[in-house]
Amino acid sequence: MRVMAQMAMVMNLDKCIGCHTCTVTCKQVWTNRVGTEYVYFNNVETKPGIGYPKRYEDQEQWRGGWTLDRKGRLQLKSGSRLRRLLSIFYNPDLPSIDDYGEPWTYNYQHVIEAPLGTPNPSAHSISALTGKDVTVGWGSNWEDDLAGAPERAHLDPNLRDLQERVRMEFEQVFMFYLPRICEHCLNPSCVASCPSGAMYKRAEDGIVLVDQDKCRGWRFCVSGCPYKKVYFNHRTGKAEKCTLCFPRIEAGQPTICAETCVGRLRYLGLILYDADRVLAAAATRDVKDLYEAQLSVFLDPEDPEVQAEAARQGIPADWIEGARRSPTYALAVKHRVALPLHPEYRTLPMVWYIPPLSPVADVVHAAGYDPADPDAVFAAIDAMRIPMEYLANLFTAGDTGVIRRVLRTLAVMRALMRADQLGLPFDDGVISELGTSRTDLMDLYRLLAIAKYDERYVIPAAHAEDAGRLASQHEQLFCSLDGEGGPGMGGLGPHGIRAFRPARRPDEVAESETFRDTDGRLRVNLLAWKGNRDVPLFPSPSNEE
Amino acid sequence: MSNATSSQILLWVGLPYLALGIFVVGHIWRWRYDQFGWTSRSTQLQERRLLKWGSPIFHYGTFAAIMGHVIGILIPERWTAAIGIPEHVYRWFSATAGTVAAVLILAGVVVLAGRRLFIARVRSTTDAVDYFALVLLLLIILTGIIPTVFVNLLGGGYDYRLTVAPWFRGLFSGNPDVTTIASAPIVYQVHAAASWVIWAVWPFTRLVHAWSYPLWYLWRPYIVYRSRKTAPPIEPGTAGRRWRRIGAGY
C-alpha cells in the first residue's frame, strides 16, 4: 500500500447559477496575458451543449484519455509512444484555435476618436491573433443558457444514444451548468502524453503541473487530455493548465474559483488513496465499473491502519487529520452523492460533481406536484429518461442506476428536512430503502446547505520544512551577481545557494555599529550591531569623549 | 595551405571556427539562461491544414538530407572505394537519394514558408530572427539542391568528396585544406559558408528545438511524480524572457 494524498474538489451542480464568476476571477488571476487570451483554466458550460473546445467529449474524434488494448492493457487513446514521436511534427489530434474560438478584442479607440456627427460609431471586433477585423463566431461560453441549442445542441456527444428521443420531447427541454477545471487525475493522460517529461503530478497533494522550463511545446498533452484542460500558449509556445491555485492551496486557502463562487457550490479537501491500486482500477474492463473501481482506490482516513501507514510513509499528522475532516471525501465516499466526470476516460479524475436534481424537480413542479414530495419526485426520476441517461453519460459512463440512487438520496434529504421543519409526518421506509439513515441525511444536509467556509474548504497548509531553504534563497537575491564564484565575479556561478551568499568575513567590521546622535552621544546602530564586545549595546559614560 | 590568400583563410578557417565557437558557447548560454524560451513555438494551433503536409515532409526530408551529408562528407572516398564502391556508383546513389530528399525538403519548405508569410495568424508570430533563419535556410536549401539535381543527377557530375569533404573533415582534425574548398564551384562555396552561418545563429533561434527531440520518451514511465520544492534561484540575465508585460508587442 502506497498512501498518497490528493487535493480533490466537489461541485454541487444544483447550486450553480451559471454566473461565470469563477471563470472571470480565474481568468484575472491566471490567464489575462497575451498568448492565453483563449485559455480558460475554469469555464462554465451549459449542458446540453457541445462544450469548449467544440465536442471535446468525443474521444473518437480527439482521441484523448486512455483505452484498453486487445489484451486489456491500459494504453493511451492516441496510440503508442512511437506513434506520438513519429507524428511530433504534426499532431493529428490537436484542436485548432477555431475549435476554441478565435480570441478577440474591440477597437474601442475608434469609438473615442470618431468625429463629431458620426452616427453611432461602433467598436469593431478585432482578432487578438492578427489584429485584423474578425467576425466572432465561437467562444468559451457561446452556448450560454442553451443559446444556439436548436442548431447545435444535438451534436453534444453525451446525447449520442438518446438523440431521437430528445428531438421528440423537446418541450421537456432541460439544462444545467457544468463548471469545469482541470481534474488533477490520479492517472493523468496528459502527463503520460508529454514526450518531454515536463508535466508531473506533485507527490504531496496530487496537483498536476507543467514545468515551464522543461516544456518544449510538442503539444501532446493538449490532445492527450480528454477534458481539453491543458492549453497551448501561442505566444510562449508552451503548455499551460489549471494549477489548482497551488500557491493558495499551499497556504491553506481555497482556489480562486472556489473562494469567489457565488453559489458556494465548491468543496475542497484531501482524499487519501492507494497509488499502487491506481493502474488496476484504471484498467477495469467494463467502463460502468470504473466509478466503483475509483472508489475502491480511496482509503478510509478513519481506519487506524491507514492512519498508521500514512504516518509511516511521511504524510504529516495535520494532513491525516485534514483527510478525516475532508468534505470531498464525505460527499464522494461516505454519502456517495458526488460522481466523477466521464470516468470512461480512465484517468480517474479528482474533481467530482453532485448531479443536479433541478431538471427533475422542475418537471415535477411544472406538472403541479409538490417538488418536495418524494413519491412525485421518484416517479419523475423514473419517467424522465432523457436527463437521467444524459447525466449517466456524463458521470457514470451510462449507468443510470447510480444516477437514480444519487438523485433519490437528494430528493429524500429535501423531503426529510421539509417534514422536519414543518412538523409533517415522514415515512422512514424511503430512507432505509436507500441504505442510508436519518443521521447521515442530516449530516449531508448540513454539508450541502449550511456548511461554513472552514467546513467547505479543509486545506491543511503545505509543510514548510522548506522554510529554511526559502529563507536562504531570499538572501541570495541581495547579490546574485557578485557572490563568490558568481557570474559577476567571472565564475561559472554554480546553482548552490552558498555561491550567491554575500561574502562577509568574520573579522569584517560593519560600516557603522555605532553612530553619533544629534546630541553628540555615541549610539549603537541596532541594525548593524553584532554583539561585538568592543562596542557594548549600552555604551558606558567613560566611552564618551 | 601555402597558396591560400588571407581572405580565403578568413572565410574557410576563421568563419568555421568562429561559428563553431558561437554554436557551443551560445548553446551553453541558452540552455542555462533561457530554458523558458527553448521551444519550437509551434503554430499548429493557428493553422493546421498546411502544416499537416508541410511540416512532416520538410522534417523527414531534412533527416534524409542529414544522413546524406553524413555519408557524403564525413566518410572519406577511399573508405567507400576500399569496400568496392566505385565513384560513379556512389554518385548515382547520392544523386538519386539526394534528389528525393531535395524534392521533399523543397515541397515542405515551400508550404511552410508560404504559410509563414501569407497566413496572417502565423505571420504575426514571426520574429525578425525567424525571418533571418528562414532566409538562411532557403539559401542553404537552394544551393544544396542545385548541385544535387543539376550537376550530379542531370549534369556531368562533380566529386565534392575530393574537395569539400576533406576540407570539412580537416576542420575537425585541426588541418583544414583551404585550397580544395577554394577551388570548388561557387555554389558549393555558398552552401558551405551559409551553413556555417546558420550554425552560428542556431542557438539564438527556435532551431534549438532540434536538440530536444524526446527519444527517451520511449523508455520513461508514463506518469511522472515530483516532490514540491522551492524554485531554483533566478539567475542573472534570465529575467527579460519571463512573462512579458501584458499587451507588449512581439
Side-chain angles (χ1 to χ4, degrees), chain A residues 86-105:
Chain A
L86 290 177
S87 57
I88 204 163
F89 305 120
Y90 170 79
N91 180 346
D93 307 320
L94 190 78
S96 82
I97 192 76
D98 297 313
D99 294 307
Y100 295 98
E102 183 164 357
W104 79 92
T105 181

Side-chain angles (χ1 to χ4, degrees), chain A residues 309-528:
Chain A
E309 190 59 24
R312 202 183 62 75
Q313 295 187 14
I315 295 181
D318 58 335
W319 279 53
I320 298 173
E321 184 57 29
R324 294 179 62 194
R325 290 181 49 228
S326 167
T328 53
Y329 182 83
L331 291 168
V333 184
K334 192 176 159 215
H335 301 294
R336 298 209 166 202
V337 292
L339 302 170
L341 180 64
H342 289 302
E344 71 272 21
Y345 299 158
R346 299 177 181 277
T347 59
L348 307 191
M350 288 306 286
V351 173
W352 286 30
Y353 295 89
I354 301 173
L357 190 58
S358 49
V360 181
D362 288 350
V363 167
V364 173
H365 184 71
Y369 293 102
D370 178 2
D373 174 8
D375 286 338
V377 176
F378 278 21
I381 288 173
D382 289 333
M384 289 189 61
R385 302 286 300 280
I386 295 170
M388 295 298 290
E389 285 177 29
Y390 186 84
L391 290 173
N393 280 345
L394 267 182
F395 299 118
T396 57
D399 186 352
T400 46
V402 177
I403 300 287
R404 183 173 295 121
R405 176 183 58 72
V406 172
L407 292 189
R408 283 182 168 213
T409 307
L410 295 175
V412 168
M413 180 197 70
R414 289 183 186 194
L416 174 68
M417 290 316 299
R418 187 162 188 266
D420 221 44
Q421 291 181 1
L422 297 181
L424 301 173
F426 191 78
D427 173 20
D428 274 17
V430 285
I431 300 180
S432 47
E433 253 175 62
L434 284 165
T436 178
S437 68
R438 255 178 192 268
T439 336
D440 275 351
L441 286 179
M442 298 293 252
D443 194 27
L444 179 62
Y445 160 72
R446 192 180 157 69
L447 200 50
L448 292 183
I450 49 182
K452 299 298 179 204
Y453 191 87
D454 56 352
E455 291 168 274
R456 281 180 281 129
Y457 312 126
V458 180
I459 305 164
H463 269 262
E465 281 84 354
D466 296 326
R469 266 195 285 159
L470 279 167
S472 55
Q473 200 186 103
H474 174 70
E475 234 171 277
Q476 66 93 13
L477 293 179
F478 285 114
C479 65
S480 51
L481 266 175
D482 50 9
E484 227 171 64
M489 300 292 277
L492 283 173
H495 294 262
I497 297 296
R498 285 206 162 275
F500 289 105
R501 185 166 286 164
R504 178 161 293 179
R505 293 180 302 281
D507 57 340
E508 189 182 18
V509 182
E511 313 84 70
S512 54
E513 285 194 50
T514 57
F515 64 98
R516 294 273 168 204
D517 206 346
T518 42
D519 57 9
R521 289 207 300 171
L522 192 69
R523 298 277 184 181
V524 172
N525 178 0
L526 286 173
L527 291 173

Side-chain angles (χ1 to χ4, degrees), chain A residues 32-34 38 81 84-86 88-92 94-98 102 129-130 187-188 191-197 199-204 211-213 215-216 218-219 232 234-238 240 250 462-463 470 473 476 481 492-493 495, chain B residues 31-33 35-42 44-46 48 51-52 55-56 59-60 63 120-121 123-125 209 212-231 233-236 242-244 246-250:
Chain A
N32 62 349
R33 292 168 276 129
V34 177
Y38 79 103
R81 297 169 194 247
R84 269 186 298 288
L85 280 200
L86 290 177
I88 204 163
F89 305 120
Y90 170 79
N91 180 346
L94 190 78
S96 82
I97 192 76
D98 297 313
E102 183 164 357
L129 295 180
T130 60
N187 185 34
V191 174
S193 304
C194 172
S196 308
M199 292 194 73
Y200 60 97
K201 193 168 175 62
R202 287 215 302 198
E204 288 84 0
D211 184 333
Q212 290 291 309
D213 279 347
C215 174
R216 297 286 172 255
W218 299 126
R219 318 175 295 290
F232 188 76
H234 62 81
R235 168 69 77 89
T236 62
K238 306 247 167 173
E240 292 185 31
E250 283 174 10
H463 269 262
L470 279 167
Q473 200 186 103
Q476 66 93 13
L481 266 175
L492 283 173
H495 294 262
Chain B
W31 182 258
R32 289 199 47 202
Y33 291 132
Q35 288 276 321
F36 182 61
W38 196 292
T39 161
S40 62
R41 263 187 79 186
S42 160
Q44 188 182 340
L45 187 75
Q46 289 95 321
R48 56 182 292 167
L51 190 82
K52 178 179 185 176
S55 178
H59 282 90
Y60 286 114
F63 289 163
R121 284 179 180 179
R123 193 176 59 235
S124 64
T125 70
H209 75 274
S212 296
Y213 190 78
L215 256 190
W216 68 286
Y217 175 59
L218 294 173
W219 294 279
R220 76 137 220 260
Y222 260 145
I223 308 296
V224 179
Y225 290 94
R226 264 207 242 168
S227 281
R228 193 171 64 82
K229 61 173 186 206
T230 53
I234 296 166
E235 290 191 44
R242 296 276 151 176
W243 306 117
R244 293 182 203 212
I246 296 163
Y250 281 101

Side-chain angles (χ1 to χ4, degrees), chain A residues 200-258:
Chain A
Y200 60 97
K201 193 168 175 62
R202 287 215 302 198
E204 288 84 0
D205 48 19
I207 296 177
V208 177
L209 295 171
V210 186
D211 184 333
Q212 290 291 309
D213 279 347
K214 290 240 163 27
C215 174
R216 297 286 172 255
W218 299 126
R219 318 175 295 290
F220 283 104
C221 54
V222 180
S223 54
C225 171
Y227 304 96
K228 292 292 169 284
K229 276 296 172 189
V230 188
Y231 298 87
F232 188 76
N233 181 325
H234 62 81
R235 168 69 77 89
T236 62
K238 306 247 167 173
E240 292 185 31
K241 66 180 289 299
C242 160
T243 64
L244 205 67
C245 290
F246 73 86
R248 290 177 59 90
I249 294 281
E250 283 174 10
Q253 297 171 345
T255 61
I256 277 292
C257 54

Side-chain angles (χ1 to χ4, degrees), chain B residues 10-234:
Chain B
L10 202 64
L11 186 58
W12 303 119
V13 181
L15 174 67
Y17 285 135
L18 180 71
L20 273 176
I22 296 176
F23 180 82
V24 172
V25 175
H27 273 101
I28 293 172
W29 167 80
R30 184 90 188 262
W31 182 258
R32 289 199 47 202
Y33 291 132
D34 189 30
Q35 288 276 321
F36 182 61
W38 196 292
T39 161
S40 62
R41 263 187 79 186
S42 160
T43 50
Q44 188 182 340
L45 187 75
Q46 289 95 321
E47 197 286 329
R48 56 182 292 167
R49 276 186 317 126
L50 292 170
L51 190 82
K52 178 179 185 176
W53 297 103
S55 178
I57 288 175
F58 173 76
H59 282 90
Y60 286 114
T62 309
F63 289 163
I66 291 169
M67 279 310 294
H69 280 72
V70 168
I71 296 169
I73 304 292
L74 291 187
I75 297 177
E77 182 161 349
R78 61 176 185 282
W79 289 14
T80 50
I83 58 169
I85 301 173
E87 159 62 15
H88 68 272
V89 174
Y90 167 80
R91 183 180 301 165
W92 172 83
F93 167 76
S94 98
T96 317
T99 303
V100 172
V103 168
L104 287 179
I105 292 179
L106 198 61
V109 85
V110 163
V111 175
L112 291 185
R115 74 190 272 283
R116 193 156 282 285
L117 293 177
F118 300 116
I119 307 278
R121 284 179 180 179
V122 183
R123 193 176 59 235
S124 64
T125 70
T126 311
D127 295 336
V129 68
D130 296 329
Y131 285 118
F132 183 64
L134 185 63
V135 168
L136 263 181
L137 218 53
L138 286 173
L139 184 66
I140 291 167
I141 290 169
L142 289 178
T143 53
I145 287 174
I146 289 168
T148 305
V149 176
F150 296 101
V151 178
N152 287 323
L153 186 75
L154 307 174
Y158 173 74
D159 194 2
Y160 52 86
R161 294 200 295 166
L162 292 178
T163 56
V164 182
W167 158 77
F168 183 82
R169 289 196 301 273
L171 284 169
F172 295 93
S173 60
N175 184 28
D177 190 351
V178 175
T179 48
T180 56
I181 179 69
S183 68
I186 184 77
V187 66
Y188 286 96
Q189 294 190 358
V190 174
H191 184 70
S195 302
W196 282 116
V197 176
I198 208 163
W199 288 123
V201 299
W202 197 286
F204 313 104
T205 63
R206 62 174 77 190
L207 291 170
V208 289
H209 75 274
W211 315 125
S212 296
Y213 190 78
L215 256 190
W216 68 286
Y217 175 59
L218 294 173
W219 294 279
R220 76 137 220 260
Y222 260 145
I223 308 296
V224 179
Y225 290 94
R226 264 207 242 168
S227 281
R228 193 171 64 82
K229 61 173 186 206
T230 53
I234 296 166

